[in-house]
Amino acid sequence: MGQFLTPPGVAGLLAGMFEVIEADVRLLDLGAGVGMLTAAFAARVLGEERKPRSLHLTVWEAEAAFISPLERVLEECVEAGRSAGVPTSYVVNHGDALRGGVDLLQEEDLFTRPRQGRGFTHAIMNPPYRKINADSEARLLLRRAGLETSNLYTGFLWLAARLLEPSGQMVAITPRSFCNGPYFLPFRERFFRLMALERLHVFDKRDALFSGDDVLQENVIMHARCDTKRRAFVVLSSSNGWPAGNGRVRTVPYSRVFDPADAGRVIHLALDAADDDARRAVMGLPAKLSDLGVGVSTGRVVEFRARRFLRQDPEAGTVPLIYPLHFNGGCVHWPCPGSRKANALQALPETQELVVPNGIYVLVKRFTAKEERRRVVATVFRPEGSLAGFKSVGFENHLNYFHDGGKGLDGMLADGLAVYLNSTVVDSYFRQFSGHTQVNATDLRGLRYPSRGQLCKLAESGAVGTRDQGAIDAAVDAMIRTSRP
C-alpha cells in the first residue's frame, strides 16, 4: 500500500513538535498503522504539567491485521488518560482513509458551516507514499475534496488540513518531493493558502530512518498550522539521520523558505550560513535561462514507447541514441558495445519527432544515484568522432538537454554552461529545494544563470572538460566575485 511504519524514536520527534493546548484536544491520525504516532502524541500531552481538559483520538487504518493491535494501543492510551486525570476516548475507523476523509468533509459541510469546535485540533501522520493514476478511485476522491495530485501522501496532507479547525496543528513526516516541481505545484498552491509553516525538519542521512525499507527519497517533518496568515519566521532544523542525533536549528524569515510571490511556489531549506551563501550567489546572477536564448527539455525517447525502433548497435538507417550510461569521465562515449541499453534509433518518419539536429548540447542526468557526490551532473555533447556525420541524434528520457530553439548551442556557451552547472554552488543551492535524486527540466529553468559573456569566460578557464571539482569551483567562484557590484 506504500505505507512505511514509523519507528518509535521518529514518532516521539513528531509528537514533540506540537504546541499543546489545555482545552479539549481532538487528534486525527489518517493511516495509523498499529498506533505508534497516536501513542506518542498521547504520551506527550498526558505527560505535560498543564494537561488538556480532554483527549479524543480518531484514527483510520485500512490493513485488517493492524486493527486488533491498534485497538490495544488505544486502550492503553485511555488507561494512561485515566491515570493522568484526563478523560480519554477513541474511535477506530477500519477502511480507506481517503474515502473516509472525503465523506467526513461532506458530512461536516465545512464549506458553509463555522469550523471552530467541529474539526480536529491536531493531526499527526506518516501517510503512504504511492503514485496514483489519473483515472484511479483515489484521484477521483481527491478531486471531490478539491485537490488534483499524483501521490497519496499529498492527498492525505490535504484532507487532514481540510479537517482541522482554525489554528489546528499538523505534524507529518513525508518525502521532500512536494517542495518543488510541477507535479506538486497544485498541492503547494492550495495547501499553503490554508496552512502556515511553523517548522521543517530534514534528515542529513537518507537511509537511516527507514533502514529496513526501500525509501529512496529524503524525508522531511513538517509542522504547520491552519491559518491563512503566515508567520514572520520559520524554524528549520536537521539531524544526522536519527531523531536524537547531532543537528542544526535556525530561525529564518518565512519568505526565505516559502515566498508566495514565487510563481513556482518552491520551498527552500537553507540550513546554515553556507546554504545562505549559495542562495545569494545563485540568485544574484544576472540571467534567466530565457535571457540567454537557451531552453532545456527532457529527452524525447521514452524507451518502452519506442522499443520497436531501438537497435542494440548502430547500423544503416539509424542515428545515435544517448543514455546516461554514455556519460563517462565527463564526456559522452558512444557507442557502448555490450551494454544493456540500445545505442541507436531507427531514422524513420515515425521517429522524426523523437530526434533533434546533431549539434552541441549540454546534457544533465535526470536521475542520479544516491551515492553520487553531486545532484546536478552535466556534460557537453559534441558531434565529433564516432558521433560525426549523423544528421540527427536522440536523447533518452532520463536526460535533460539544453538547446537553442531545439537546435545545438554555440560551443563556448555550452562549455561555460556545463562548468557552471557542475559547480558546488549550484549543487548546494539545488539541494535546498530538491530532496530526491530527480533533476527536472522545470528546476533547471528556475535557476539563475551567468550572462552570456560570463559563461564564455568560464569556457576560457581551465575548468572546461575537467573532473577536478576544485578547478570548477575556483572558476565559478571567481566569476561570481567579479560580477558583484
Side-chain angles (χ1 to χ4, degrees):
M1 292 184 177
Q3 192 166 13
F4 299 88
L5 300 185
T6 312
V10 177
L13 180 60
L14 268 70
M17 289 189 183
F18 284 103
E19 177 187 331
V20 180
I21 58 176
E22 298 176 53
D24 300 304
V25 170
R26 297 177 297 280
L27 176 74
L28 173 66
D29 185 352
L30 294 173
V34 294
M36 183 67 71
L37 285 172
T38 296
F41 179 86
R44 161 75 196 286
V45 299
L46 294 174
E48 291 289 316
E49 182 176 347
R50 302 173 71 175
K51 296 176 174 55
R53 286 197 301 260
S54 65
L55 176 61
H56 182 73
L57 311 170
T58 299
V59 302
W60 256 273
E61 178 52 49
E63 175 56 61
F66 291 165
I67 297 301
S68 179
L70 174 59
E71 289 177 336
R72 288 198 297 272
V73 167
L74 293 171
E75 284 293 339
E76 291 186 18
C77 290
V78 170
E79 182 58 36
R82 185 179 298 113
S83 299
V86 177
T88 303
S89 58
Y90 68 85
V91 172
V92 175
N93 298 282
H94 179 202
D96 182 353
L98 284 185
R99 178 172 291 281
V102 171
D103 289 346
L104 188 56
L105 277 175
Q106 293 180 335
E107 289 172 13
E108 294 285 346
D109 194 17
L110 296 182
F111 288 111
T112 57
R113 297 183 186 179
R115 294 173 62 185
Q116 188 70 44
R118 299 182 59 84
F120 296 95
T121 61
H122 298 74
I124 192 167
M125 283 189 299
N126 176 7
Y129 319 161
R130 192 179 69 195
K131 290 183 178 180
I132 49 179
N133 297 325
D135 58 351
S136 65
E137 182 184 15
R139 196 73 166 258
L140 296 174
L141 284 169
L142 288 169
R143 283 179 192 145
R144 283 170 52 194
L147 180 69
E148 191 68 48
T149 190
S150 59
N151 201 295
L152 278 177
Y153 83 87
T154 47
F156 273 64
L157 292 177
W158 173 245
L159 283 179
R162 291 284 312 280
L163 289 166
L164 285 174
E165 68 174 28
S167 296
Q169 301 172 66
M170 173 193 299
V171 177
I173 182 168
T174 72
R176 274 187 62 184
S177 54
F178 75 89
C179 292
N180 68 300
Y183 295 121
F184 294 103
L185 177 57
F187 167 76
R188 293 193 299 275
E189 288 178 327
R190 290 182 174 273
F191 185 83
F192 291 109
R193 283 195 206 118
L194 185 62
M195 303 292 290
L197 279 172
E198 302 236 332
R199 181 177 176 182
L200 288 168
H201 182 91
V202 296
F203 298 92
D204 295 333
K205 292 185 179 179
R206 180 191 303 272
D207 56 355
L209 292 184
F210 301 97
S211 56
D213 299 306
D214 187 22
V215 177
L216 298 179
Q217 295 192 43
E218 292 177 10
N219 292 97
V220 61
I221 298 175
M222 173 174 59
H223 178 205
R225 190 180 296 269
C226 187
D227 192 342
T228 56
K229 183 179 179 181
R230 69 184 189 185
R231 301 295 186 264
F233 297 95
V234 178
V235 176
L236 301 180
S237 59
S238 69
S239 58
N240 64 0
W242 298 103
N246 296 326
R248 299 165 286 177
V249 180
R250 68 192 309 229
T251 301
V252 299
Y254 197 101
S255 61
R256 290 271 298 280
V257 179
F258 183 76
D259 184 358
D262 171 22
R265 303 294 196 272
V266 175
I267 294 173
H268 295 263
L269 294 169
L271 294 166
D272 53 31
D275 288 338
D276 288 338
D277 291 342
R279 179 186 175 93
R280 278 194 295 267
V282 172
M283 296 304 292
L285 291 171
K288 297 179 181 178
L289 200 57
S290 57
D291 297 332
L292 301 173
V294 174
V296 60
S297 303
T298 302
R300 302 175 183 179
V301 180
V302 179
E303 189 176 72
F304 77 90
R305 293 176 183 162
R307 194 175 302 280
R308 63 193 176 104
F309 304 115
L310 305 184
R311 293 296 177 266
Q312 195 66 30
D313 298 302
E315 59 187 51
T318 64
V319 298
L321 177 57
I322 307 302
Y323 281 82
L325 67 86
H326 292 110
F327 284 30
N328 188 2
C331 302
V332 174
H333 294 268
W334 180 91
C336 184
S339 70
R340 294 183 298 105
K341 299 295 186 180
N343 283 285
L345 177 73
Q346 282 187 299
L348 298 169
E350 298 96 314
T351 61
Q352 187 174 357
E353 293 185 353
L354 304 181
V355 298
V356 294
N358 201 3
I360 299 173
Y361 298 88
V362 175
L363 307 181
V364 172
K365 293 181 180 180
R366 283 187 62 211
F367 299 90
T368 52
K370 288 188 294 183
E371 62 274 7
E372 285 199 59
R373 183 178 55 189
R374 288 200 319 273
R375 190 70 52 81
V376 182
V377 179
T379 196
V380 178
F381 173 92
R382 296 183 184 278
E384 50 191 33
S386 60
L387 292 163
F390 294 96
K391 290 184 177 180
S392 303
V393 61
F395 298 127
E396 195 267 337
N397 191 245
H398 286 77
L399 292 172
N400 298 303
Y401 65 100
F402 287 80
H403 55 86
D404 181 353
K407 299 179 181 179
L409 298 167
D410 171 79
M412 290 192 70
L413 182 66
D415 284 337
L417 189 56
V419 171
Y420 171 67
L421 290 168
N422 282 326
S423 66
T424 298
V425 69
V426 168
D427 197 67
S428 297
Y429 177 70
F430 192 88
R431 289 173 184 269
Q432 292 180 32
F433 60 82
S434 177
H436 49 86
T437 57
Q438 185 168 342
V439 179
N440 296 308
T442 302
D443 298 326
L444 296 171
R445 290 187 201 105
L447 292 175
R448 300 289 297 183
Y449 290 84
S451 67
R452 271 183 169 263
Q454 290 171 325
L455 289 172
C456 288
K457 285 185 178 180
L458 283 179
E460 296 171 346
S461 71
V464 173
T466 182
R467 301 181 70 189
D468 184 342
Q469 193 66 50
I472 293 170
D473 292 341
V476 173
D477 291 346
M479 179 271 296
I480 290 172
R481 284 197 305 273
T482 57
S483 68
R484 288 173 181 157

